[in-house]
């Protein structure tokens, strides 16, 4: 069977709900075959971790760290969360969480996390406001596909959905 002949709805895949299917429809994906033809726009090498001190050599770091403190700056609705992290070598950095105050509950002090982001020096301290953060146990390592953004769906869900489709239909696909 060719990919274009797989006309089953994505709702039939394990772990896929109505909201996900509706989001796929917005980008004109209505069948499992079309989903399997939704190719990654890029790949990210997550096989090795960096240290915060590697900032001199790289634009983007993948750092395994611990959350050591939370603090806030600003007032009222302009109040912004800062998360202080520390890597295995004792290097520290601050994550500036604009409009992401919910991260305080998701990553309490003591959490083991992975941060993927761009860091810079600000007032002689390492800082990032452009980052993604994940719990260590939920981190996808290796060579990871990066898909075009779909409103309301994160990368992990897209990867999971496509993996589910491949698991279910791989044996039936011919070239």
């Amino acid at each position: 069977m060719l990919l274009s002949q797989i006309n089953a709805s994505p709702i039939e895949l394990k772990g896929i709900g109505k909201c996900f299917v509706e989001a796929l429809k917005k980008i004109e994906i209505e069948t499992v075959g079309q989903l399997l033809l939704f190719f990654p726009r890029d790949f990210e090498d997550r096989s090795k971790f960096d240290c915060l001190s590697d900032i001199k050599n790289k634009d983007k770091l993948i750092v395994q760290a611990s959350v050591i403190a939370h603090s806030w700056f600003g007032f009222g609705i302009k109040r912004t969360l800062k998360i202080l992290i520390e890597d295995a070598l004792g290097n520290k950095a601050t994550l500036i969480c604009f409009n992401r105050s919910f991260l305080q509950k998701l990553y309490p002090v003591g959490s083991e996390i992975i941060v993927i982001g761009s860091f810079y020096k600000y007032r002689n301290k390492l800082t990032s406001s452009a980052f993604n953060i994940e719990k260590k146990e939920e981190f996808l390592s290796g060579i990871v596909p990066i898909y075009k953004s779909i409103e309301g769906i994160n990368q992990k869900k897209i990867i999971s959905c496509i993996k589910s489709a491949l698991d279910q239909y791989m044996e039936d696909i011919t070239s």
Side-chain angles (χ1 to χ4, degrees):
M1 172 184 317
L2 298 174
L3 287 175
S4 60
Q5 294 172 323
I6 302 174
N7 292 321
S9 170
I11 195 82
E12 296 177 23
L13 298 172
K14 182 181 176 185
I16 306 306
K18 289 181 182 179
C19 291
F20 187 88
V21 171
E22 291 304 314
L24 288 176
K25 284 182 182 177
K26 289 179 185 175
I27 60 165
E28 299 177 8
I29 294 176
E30 296 190 21
T31 67
V32 172
Q34 291 171 332
L35 178 66
L36 290 172
L37 290 169
F38 183 61
F39 297 115
R41 65 173 168 78
D42 201 1
F43 291 89
E44 189 170 69
D45 184 358
R46 295 180 171 191
S47 59
K48 298 176 188 168
F49 292 113
D50 303 304
C51 293
L52 290 167
S53 57
D54 293 335
I55 188 63
K56 301 167 197 137
N57 306 322
K58 295 186 171 187
D59 293 334
K60 189 176 189 180
L61 298 178
I62 301 173
V63 179
Q64 188 172 348
S66 298
V67 175
I68 58 175
H70 295 132
S71 63
W72 296 86
F73 68 93
F75 298 97
I77 62 171
K78 301 252 185 200
R79 201 170 113 147
T80 302
L81 173 67
K82 294 193 308 185
I83 299 175
L84 184 62
I85 63 170
E86 182 176 44
D87 69 11
L89 298 177
N91 300 308
K92 293 182 175 121
T94 302
L95 305 176
I96 308 296
C97 308
F98 295 110
N99 300 315
R100 298 197 267 179
S101 58
F102 62 90
L103 292 177
Q104 181 180 20
K105 288 182 182 175
L106 283 177
Y107 305 103
V109 173
S111 297
E112 294 295 318
I113 59 170
I114 309 295
V115 178
I116 301 171
S118 301
F119 289 83
Y120 56 92
K121 288 271 188 172
Y122 178 72
R123 295 186 177 170
N124 213 23
K125 293 182 180 178
L126 205 53
T127 305
S128 178
S129 58
F131 64 88
N132 288 318
I133 185 172
E134 295 182 31
K135 293 180 179 176
K136 184 178 173 182
E137 60 272 7
E138 296 174 2
F139 182 69
L140 294 175
S141 62
I143 306 298
V144 177
I146 306 297
Y147 291 92
K148 175 185 165 197
S149 294
I150 301 174
E151 186 178 336
I153 304 175
N154 64 31
Q155 288 291 311
K156 274 188 175 178
K157 187 67 176 175
I158 296 169
I159 292 167
S160 170
C161 179
I162 291 175
K163 182 183 181 322
S164 179
L166 285 171
D167 289 346
Q168 191 168 334
Y169 288 94
M170 184 60 109
E171 291 179 10
D172 299 331
I173 297 172
T174 59
S175 53

